[in-house]
C-alpha cells in the first residue's frame, strides 16, 4: 500500500534518531521490515541530510552530542559528509539551526565583508558591488563610496544610502555564488544598527538573477533591464529577456523575492516572501500582482543595536520559507506567496541602508553573511 510522505519521514527519522532497530521501527509503525529497509536505503540525500541533522538536534538533549555522533557513525553515514566524530560535533554546533533542520548542510557562502571588497564598476570577479540595477540609468546615481568603511574590528559599516549587491548593477555575476532555487537554501545575515529609530529601513534580502528590472516602469512591472530604453517594449522584449518559461506569454514576468529582514515595520523581525508577476504592454503593468505572506512581522521587540542573526530557509519542494532569529524559529510563509517559479531561479544578495521617509541617518554593521544548500549541489563548499 502507498504511504504518505509524512509517514515515510517519521519512519526514517525514528530509525536515524537511534537506539532501535529496523524490526522495532517496523513494529512501531505497523509496516513491513522490508518497507523500513527500503525507505532508509533509498531516501534522497536532500531529505536524509535534513532528517539526520534533525535527529541529532532532537537527540542531543536526551543523550548528549558524543552519544548521538557515535550512533550516526555506527549507522554508516560517513559517506554523507560526516567523516569523523569531530566533524559531527562541528557540523551540529556551528551550523545554523534553520539550515540543519532543512537538510542544507553544505556551506557555499561564508563572508565577513569589508569595504575594500566593494567594486564600483560592472566588471566581473568581485564579491560585492556598489549600487543597484536602477543606478545605471540617467534617473539616479550610485551611492557615494564613502558611505562604506571598515571598523577597527573588521566589520563592514554601511552608512545612509548605501546599497550593495553580490552582482553588478547590470547583473554581471560576481564571485559569490547564486543561491540555487532548484536545490533550496538557507541564507543568514548577521548585523546590527547604530540606533533603534523607527524611521530606519534596513534591508537584507534576495532577488533572482533571471529577473531584469525595468527602469521607469514601476516596481515589479518590467523585464527589460536597466540598459534598455523604455520605448519599443514589444519589439525588444523577447530579444533582451529570454523566453525562460515557454508556457508564459510574451511580456509576462514572474519571480520570487525573499526579504530576510527589514526594519521599521514592527517591533521585531520582518520577513517577507513575494510572488511578483505582471503582463507588460506599452509600458503599463496590466494585471500586476504581488502576493505576500500575511504573518511577516514578529511581535517580539528587538534591540537592533545588538548583533542578531537573521536567517531564512527556502524549500522548493513544499513551497515554504521559514524565518529564524538567532537560531530560533519565527514563522513560515507558504504558497501562493511562495511561488512555484522560485525553484527555476537563482538568487543574489542585497544589503540596503534606506529610510521610511524622514531620512534619519544611521549605520548598518554587517558582521557576516552565510549560505547553505544541499550536499548534492554542484556549488563548491567553503
Amino acid at each position: 500500500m502507498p504511504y504518505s510522505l509524512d509517514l515515510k519521514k517519521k519512519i526514517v527519522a525514528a530509525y536515524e534518531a537511534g537506539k532501535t532497530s529496523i524490526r522495532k521501527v517496523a513494529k512501531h509503525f505497523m509496516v513491513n521490515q522490508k518497507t523500513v529497509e527500503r525507505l532508509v536505503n533509498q531516501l534522497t540525500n536532500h531529505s536524509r541530510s535534513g532528517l539526520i541533522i534533525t535527529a541529532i538536534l532532537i537527540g542531543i538533549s536526551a543523550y548528549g552530542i558524543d552519544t548521538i555522533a557515535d550512533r550516526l557513525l555506527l549507522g554508516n553515514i560517513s559517506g554523507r559528509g560526516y567523516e569523523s566524530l569531530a566533524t559531527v560535533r562541528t557540523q551540529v554546533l556551528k551550523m545554523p539551526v534553520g539550515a540543519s533542520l532543512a537538510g542544507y548542510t553544505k556551506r557555499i557562502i561564508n563572508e565577513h565583508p569589508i569595504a575594500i571588497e566593494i567594486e564600483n564598476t560592472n566588471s566581473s570577479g568581485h564579491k560585492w558591488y556598489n549600487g543597484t540595477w536602477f543606478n545605471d540609468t540617467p534617473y539616479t546615481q550610485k551611492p557615494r563610496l564613502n558611505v562604506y568603511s571598515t571598523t577597527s574590528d573588521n566589520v563592514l559599516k554601511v552608512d545612509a544610502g548605501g546599497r550593495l549587491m553580490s552582482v553588478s548593477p547590470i547583473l554581471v555575476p560576481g564571485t559569490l555564488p547564486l543561491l540555487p532555487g532548484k536545490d533550496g537554501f538557507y541564507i543568514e545575515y548577521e548585523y546590527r544598527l547604530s540606533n533603534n529609530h523607527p524611521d530606519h529601513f534596513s534591508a537584507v534580502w534576495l532577488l533572482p538573477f533571471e529577473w531584469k528590472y525595468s527602469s521607469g516602469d514601476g516596481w515589479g512591472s518590467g523585464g527589460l533591464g536597466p540598459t534598455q530604453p523604455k520605448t519599443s517594449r514589444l519589439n525588444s522584449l523577447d530579444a533582451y529577456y529570454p523566453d525562460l518559461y515557454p508556457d508564459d506569454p510574451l511580456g509576462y514576468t514572474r519571480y520570487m523575492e525573499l526579504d530576510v529582514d527589514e526594519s521599521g515595520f514592527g517591533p521585531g523581525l520582518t520577513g517577507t516572501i513575494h510572488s511578483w508577476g505582471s503582463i507588460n504592454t506599452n509600458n503599463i503593468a496590466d494585471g500586476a500582482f504581488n502576493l505576500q505572506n500575511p504573518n511577516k512581522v514578529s511581535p517580539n521587540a528587538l534591540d537592533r543595536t545588538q548583533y542578531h542573526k537573521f536567517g531564512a530557509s527556502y524549500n522548493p519542494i513544499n513551497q515554504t520559507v521559514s524565518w529564524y532569529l538567532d537560531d530560533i524559529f519565527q514563522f513560515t510563509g507558504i504558497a501562493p506567496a511562495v511561488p512555484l517559479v522560485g525553484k527555476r531561479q537563482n538568487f543574489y544578495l542585497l544589503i540596503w541602508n534606506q529610510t521610511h521617509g524622514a531620512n534619519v541617518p544611521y549605520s548598518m554593521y554587517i558582521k557576516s553573511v552565510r549560505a547553505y544548500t544541499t550536499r548534492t549541489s554542484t556549488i563548491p563548499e567553503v
Side-chain angles (χ1 to χ4, degrees):
M1 61 173 292
Y3 298 106
S4 69
L5 179 60
D6 183 58
L7 177 60
K8 292 176 182 177
K9 287 184 176 181
K10 287 180 179 177
I11 290 172
V12 177
Y15 178 76
E16 296 283 11
K19 300 217 169 179
T20 188
S21 65
I22 285 180
R23 181 183 61 79
K24 289 180 180 179
V25 171
K27 182 178 180 181
H28 176 78
F29 288 98
M30 295 184 290
V31 297
N32 189 284
Q33 288 188 42
K34 290 190 178 297
T35 299
V36 178
E37 241 174 62
R38 177 174 52 80
L39 290 174
V40 169
N41 291 331
Q42 295 183 1
L43 202 65
T44 65
N45 285 337
H46 177 279
S47 297
R48 284 193 79 137
S49 297
L51 290 167
I52 291 165
I53 298 297
T54 301
I56 296 174
L57 294 171
I58 292 169
I60 284 175
S61 59
Y63 303 111
I65 187 168
D66 288 352
T67 301
I68 296 301
D70 284 334
R71 168 66 190 179
L72 288 172
L73 292 171
L74 288 172
N76 191 28
I77 66 158
S78 58
R80 294 174 230 154
Y82 306 98
E83 288 78 13
S84 68
L85 182 60
T87 303
V88 175
R89 286 199 195 98
T90 301
Q91 287 276 23
V92 174
L93 296 180
K94 292 190 175 182
M95 190 180 301
V97 169
S100 300
L101 292 176
Y104 302 139
T105 61
K106 185 178 187 179
R107 190 176 64 191
I108 56 174
I109 293 177
N110 184 30
E111 291 299 315
H112 303 274
I114 54 176
I116 198 173
E117 296 174 331
I118 300 171
E119 176 62 24
N120 201 38
T121 73
N122 292 312
S123 62
S124 61
H126 303 280
K127 291 181 178 180
W128 301 100
Y129 292 84
N130 178 39
T132 50
W133 354 259
F134 50 76
N135 292 133
D136 253 39
T137 74
Y139 308 107
T140 59
Q141 299 296 319
K142 287 182 179 180
R144 294 170 289 110
L145 280 178
N146 64 4
V147 302
Y148 310 109
S149 60
T150 304
T151 67
S152 59
D153 54 348
N154 283 322
V155 171
L156 176 64
K157 181 186 178 188
V158 181
D159 289 329
R163 299 189 176 194
L164 295 176
M165 302 199 305
S166 60
V167 296
S168 84
I170 60 170
L171 301 186
V172 173
T175 58
L176 295 180
L178 300 172
L179 305 187
K182 66 182 178 64
D183 296 324
F185 54 81
Y186 178 87
I187 174 68
E188 178 188 273
Y189 295 89
E190 183 177 6
Y191 79 102
R192 71 175 180 89
L193 304 183
S194 54
N195 61 75
N196 282 311
H197 196 285
D199 180 60
H200 301 339
F201 187 175
S202 60
V204 288
W205 53 307
L206 306 174
L207 278 175
F209 187 77
E210 290 78 8
W211 175 68
K212 318 296 183 185
Y213 182 82
S214 180
S215 306
D217 294 328
W219 182 264
S221 66
L224 289 180
T227 59
Q228 190 75 348
K230 293 190 294 181
T231 58
S232 305
R233 172 179 294 278
L234 291 180
N235 293 331
S236 58
L237 176 61
D238 200 37
Y240 183 87
Y241 192 43
D243 193 9
L244 296 173
Y245 316 120
D247 45 322
D248 291 346
L250 177 66
Y252 185 81
T253 181
R254 56 193 173 111
Y255 64 97
M256 185 178 85
E257 171 190 336
L258 201 172
D259 301 333
V260 180
D261 174 62
E262 296 174 305
S263 63
F265 289 92
L269 172 150
T270 297
T272 312
I273 188 72
H274 297 261
S275 175
W276 288 97
S278 65
I279 297 175
N280 302 279
T281 56
N282 299 321
N283 296 326
I284 298 174
D286 299 324
F289 63 85
N290 172 18
L291 303 177
Q292 305 176 27
N293 55 306
N295 58 330
K296 56 190 175 184
V297 181
S298 170
N300 302 316
L302 186 64
D303 180 5
R304 289 183 174 272
T305 67
Q306 303 299 310
Y307 280 110
H308 294 284
K309 296 177 181 178
F310 300 90
S313 173
Y314 166 58
N315 186 321
I317 297 174
N318 58 19
Q319 284 182 256
T320 59
V321 173
S322 295
W323 282 264
Y324 294 82
L325 176 64
D326 296 329
D327 281 330
I328 298 174
F329 170 78
Q330 301 295 300
F331 45 78
T332 294
I334 61 175
V338 184
L340 275 170
V341 74
K343 65 182 179 181
R344 304 168 78 172
Q345 299 179 328
N346 299 276
F347 298 82
Y348 58 89
L349 316 177
L350 299 101
I351 299 172
W352 284 17
N353 178 320
Q354 53 196 346
T355 83
H356 285 282
N359 296 315
V360 177
Y362 70 101
S363 300
M364 297 175 68
Y365 295 88
I366 313 300
K367 191 173 185 179
S368 68
V369 182
R370 296 190 293 174
Y372 296 76
T373 188
T374 60
R375 300 211 68 82
T376 54
S377 170
T378 59
I379 299 174
E381 189 167 17
V382 295

